[in-house]
Amino acid sequence: MAFTAQKMPWWADGILLPILNLCAAFVVSGLVVLAMGESPIEVLSLLIEGAFGFEEGISYTFYYATNFIFTGLAVSLAFHAGHFNIGGEGQAMIGGLGLTFAVFLVGDFSPVVSVLAAIVGSALFGAAWAYIPAYLQAKRGSHIVITTIMFNFIASALLAYFLVGPLQRPGGQMPESADFPEAASLMGIHELLAGIGINFEEGPMNVSLLIALVCAVGVWFLLWRTRFGYELRVVGQNPEAARFGGISVSKMTIMAMMISGALAGLMGLNELLGDQHRLVGGFTQGYGFVGIAVAFMGRNHPIGIVIASLLFGALYQGGSEIGFEISTITNDVIVMVQGLVILFAGAMPYLFKGMLAKIFALSRRNAVGEGETK
Amino acid sequence: MMEFLADLTLLADSTLRIATPLILAALAGLVAERGGVVDIGLEGKMLAAAFAAAAAAAVTGSPWPGLAAGIGASVALSLLHGYVSISQRGNQIVSGMAINIAVAGLAPTLANFWFQRGGQTPLLTDESRFSAISLPFADTLKDVPVLGALYSEIISGHNLITYMTVFLVPAVAWMLYKTRFGLRLRAVGENPEAVDTAGISVAALRYQAIIIAGILCGLAGTVLSTGLGAGFIRDMSAGKGFLALAAMIFGKWKPVPTLLACLLFGFVDALQGRLQGVSLPLIGEIPVQFTIMLPYVLTVIILAGFVGKIQAPRASGIPYEKDH
């Protein structure tokens, strides 16, 4: 079966298709909501109201979106190299651990030093956690999907160990560290806006959002404007051709996974440095997995990923607001939507693509036919 | 010495218990991959089956409707995975992950909606689950040295699905190696072109493989919530679907080695349960977080230990296209 996808205009492939996939996921979720005796329309309007209806809600939407930009970029970078990194969750946890070590190490010296140390610490630890599965895949052929999943479980246990052991707040009972030094903090966007005279309600949205956007630009530049990125994509598209062309597939696998792990690790900046100001057990909350849905939804392109992140940010924030009104609609529903988005956007890209291509081929034929008769 | 023996008996007993869902799920993965479809979604199907089984058992008060519901849920997801992988020729790994994540959200949502217990099902009574079966003479033979203890402590006292599993391993092996269907199934995982040339439908065979996998995985999930446990708990599959896949790879896609790999995983998991809070000579007490890691670390070591020896079914994971 030949798909005439290439003959579709760019907007059909890049915009219409993701929207159709998203709609399909929404329709199925709507049916589940309907089966639970609630009105999908009411749920949707509560969701939009919760996500964008008031300034604090907007702040939370962008705050969640920041996490998803980091983890989405992480999944997509590995995917461009032909690997499915499901370990974003664990890489973010260990990244958070690295961030914590780094900020306590530099102490209260200066905010700039603290933030730089946090960036280096989280990226390094995230990359290191991705290095082991990557090495095992490249050199020993161990299935990276299974090893990264295992590393999520191991990371979670390791984090728990540190938080009830060496890193636990002195005298505390909760699985959390002591508060970070005063200097280790990222400015809220509302403070930044206040600086230029705009009044915006206080919220968790912070400067990490800007760092995430810089990362998105960086990933774009790396993938499409450098030799390294070109080689990485060749490895992902056709490892045989890459090997023939003199590119070391195992080296690219390891490099791509390490950058991917570093990006996932940076998620801690937003959660820990931007909001919590301490290391908390389970702070990743499954955001590493959201990255998978975000990457497919955004068609593995940084611009798409930023847009998809915003969408999922809205889903998370709006979703948690729905819980207050309708007790049966919890964040679990949002997890289900995530799975459905991965199913439609990631696993069945041809479902609507084939259909769309036919429609476009048909309309083109009609147009040509009309032209001939005239 | 007696205490050590008693410990060992307990360990062997819980190894069998814990290995049951792993063996069933690994067999499911094995049948699917032998037929050329990679099934990363075992985890999600197991979770769905565990939920459906516990919910049906809780409502009806009997484990049998639970078994039917568990298998039904798992087969339905199998068919979805089959539609994506076989008919749509989509990415099988991505489809499996999508199923895992969607179920992780859907199961607690439905549990919360039906039972209002924060995403769990009610605790099942002994009548509504597959509880321990005492084999004949287990009590009378208990005092016979060694053999009697072996029989009454280790072999007797498991649930029905565990006993079924004992027969299912040779049954799957027989199906794969001794029947015409099994021959075709293995062929479609190695060389679908040849099967197609012989005039046999590749898609039909793969759908059959994935349905068998669905049934086996449904049993795995059912035993989790109605055999080993007494109800559905959020995320109760806890990576077992992935451990099963690792066991299958370790077992080189063959039933008996896969069984042994699952028993090894079961043993390590049982051991980690026993090690919690125990002070070991020289090392001292191991923090509980490290004992919890054991099965996962073992998986990584096992997967890493194979260099160049792995030979997956050649066409596994590759969609079949007739006209290329």
Side-chain angles (χ1 to χ4, degrees), chain A residues 1-3 32 35-37 79 84 86 132 136 139-143 145-147 149-151 153-154 156-158 160-161 164 289-290 292 296 327-330 332-333 335-340 342-343 346-352, chain B residues 38 40 43 80 83-84 88-91 93-95 97-99 101-106 108-110 112-113 116 119 234 238-239 242-243 245-246 249 287 289-290 292-293 295-297 299-300 303-308 310 321 323:
Chain A
M1 206 164 138
F3 291 110
V32 172
M36 297 192 340
F79 211 76
F84 197 17
I86 317 190
I132 312 168
L136 294 177
K139 304 285 182 187
R140 310 217 136 214
S142 318
H143 202 310
V145 171
I146 303 180
T147 48
I149 281 274
M150 293 301 125
F151 267 66
F153 286 109
I154 299 170
S156 149
L158 206 60
Y161 165 74
V164 298
F289 291 108
V290 184
I292 305 170
F296 285 122
S327 65
T328 48
I329 310 279
T330 59
D332 292 325
V333 178
V335 174
M336 181 191 69
V337 175
Q338 229 170 281
L340 291 171
I342 299 173
L343 184 72
M348 292 198 280
Y350 303 129
L351 188 62
F352 298 113
Chain B
V38 170
I40 284 276
E43 177 84 3
L80 173 65
Y83 175 72
V84 175
Q88 285 285 326
R89 292 188 217 96
N91 185 327
I93 307 259
V94 177
S95 161
M97 251 346 259
I99 289 174
I101 295 177
V103 172
L106 182 62
T109 301
L110 291 179
N112 194 31
F113 171 63
Q116 285 98 35
R234 185 186 290 267
F242 297 102
L243 293 184
L245 279 178
I249 295 172
Q289 292 84 9
F290 286 98
I292 288 175
M293 277 182 210
Y296 306 119
V297 172
T299 309
V300 175
L303 289 178
F306 282 82
V307 87
I310 296 180
E321 291 187 47
D323 52 355

Side-chain angles (χ1 to χ4, degrees), chain B residues 115-126:
Chain B
F115 303 106
Q116 285 98 35
R117 278 163 203 262
Q120 302 189 2
T121 61
L123 208 62
L124 295 175
T125 57
D126 266 354

Side-chain angles (χ1 to χ4, degrees), chain A:
Chain A
M1 206 164 138
F3 291 110
T4 46
Q6 293 81 358
K7 287 175 192 158
M8 287 198 297
W10 68 270
W11 52 266
D13 193 48
I15 298 173
L16 200 56
L17 207 55
I19 292 177
L20 279 176
N21 286 325
L22 188 71
C23 285
F26 268 24
V27 166
V28 177
S29 316
L31 291 177
V32 172
V33 168
L34 204 63
M36 297 192 340
E38 303 294 341
S39 149
I41 303 292
E42 191 199 341
V43 167
L44 188 65
S45 66
L46 279 173
L47 195 138
I48 295 170
E49 169 68 23
F52 297 109
F54 53 107
E55 284 184 357
E56 202 196 351
I58 295 173
S59 180
Y60 267 102
T61 295
F62 278 91
Y63 170 69
Y64 290 128
T66 308
N67 291 332
F68 304 152
I69 296 175
F70 284 126
T71 56
L73 288 173
V75 172
S76 113
L77 200 116
F79 211 76
H80 277 291
H83 292 292
F84 197 17
N85 177 16
I86 317 190
E89 190 75 4
Q91 289 143 18
M93 285 181 204
I94 300 300
L97 202 59
L99 181 149
T100 308
F101 288 142
V103 295
F104 280 121
L105 201 67
V106 298
D108 251 332
F109 184 66
S110 121
V112 180
V113 174
S114 279
V115 169
L116 284 178
I119 291 176
V120 172
S122 55
L124 263 183
F125 272 59
W129 201 246
Y131 170 77
I132 312 168
Y135 175 85
L136 294 177
Q137 166 80 55
K139 304 285 182 187
R140 310 217 136 214
S142 318
H143 202 310
I144 206 162
V145 171
I146 303 180
T147 48
T148 46
I149 281 274
M150 293 301 125
F151 267 66
N152 287 343
F153 286 109
I154 299 170
S156 149
L158 206 60
L159 189 67
Y161 165 74
F162 275 102
L163 285 177
V164 298
L167 276 181
Q168 192 172 37
R169 181 193 298 275
Q173 293 295 318
M174 303 286 286
E176 57 177 40
S177 76
D179 287 340
F180 289 165
E182 204 72 8
S185 171
L186 281 172
M187 201 190 267
I189 297 278
H190 60 276
E191 294 170 77
L192 210 63
L193 288 176
I196 52 170
I198 300 172
N199 210 351
F200 195 86
E201 206 174 312
E202 192 179 330
M205 171 173 55
N206 61 77
V207 176
S208 312
L209 174 63
L210 305 179
I211 300 176
L213 292 175
V214 170
C215 286
V217 176
V219 166
W220 170 80
F221 187 82
L222 185 73
L223 281 177
W224 284 281
R225 285 293 178 272
T226 67
R227 185 192 167 88
F228 173 81
Y230 173 75
E231 293 185 350
L232 189 149
R233 287 182 294 126
V234 173
V235 168
Q237 295 279 331
N238 191 341
E240 287 306 312
R243 203 169 287 126
F244 193 70
I247 304 169
S248 163
V249 175
S250 58
K251 191 184 125 197
M252 290 313 281
T253 295
I254 294 174
M255 292 294 286
M257 279 298 288
M258 284 180 75
I259 301 172
S260 172
L263 285 165
L266 287 175
M267 197 196 98
L269 291 180
N270 186 46
E271 281 288 323
L272 305 175
L273 219 54
D275 187 43
Q276 303 270 5
H277 304 295
R278 68 211 147 105
L279 183 63
V280 199
F283 74 92
T284 50
Q285 304 253 10
Y287 301 147
F289 291 108
V290 184
I292 305 170
V294 164
F296 285 122
M297 180 81 226
R299 312 222 61 194
N300 282 307
H301 191 283
I303 295 176
I305 288 169
V306 170
I307 295 170
S309 297
L310 192 58
L311 189 112
F312 270 95
L315 275 178
Y316 263 73
Q317 164 54 18
S320 59
E321 295 285 323
I322 297 172
F324 294 119
E325 304 282 331
I326 308 169
S327 65
T328 48
I329 310 279
T330 59
N331 263 339
D332 292 325
V333 178
I334 306 299
V335 174
M336 181 191 69
V337 175
Q338 229 170 281
L340 291 171
V341 167
I342 299 173
L343 184 72
F344 285 107
M348 292 198 280
Y350 303 129
L351 188 62
F352 298 113
K353 204 170 181 173
M355 193 185 76
L356 267 186
K358 261 182 217 151
I359 293 173
F360 277 102
L362 216 70
S363 66
R364 197 173 298 115
R365 202 173 306 145
N366 285 348
V368 170
E370 277 167 27
E372 277 169 357
T373 48
K374 270 174 195 169

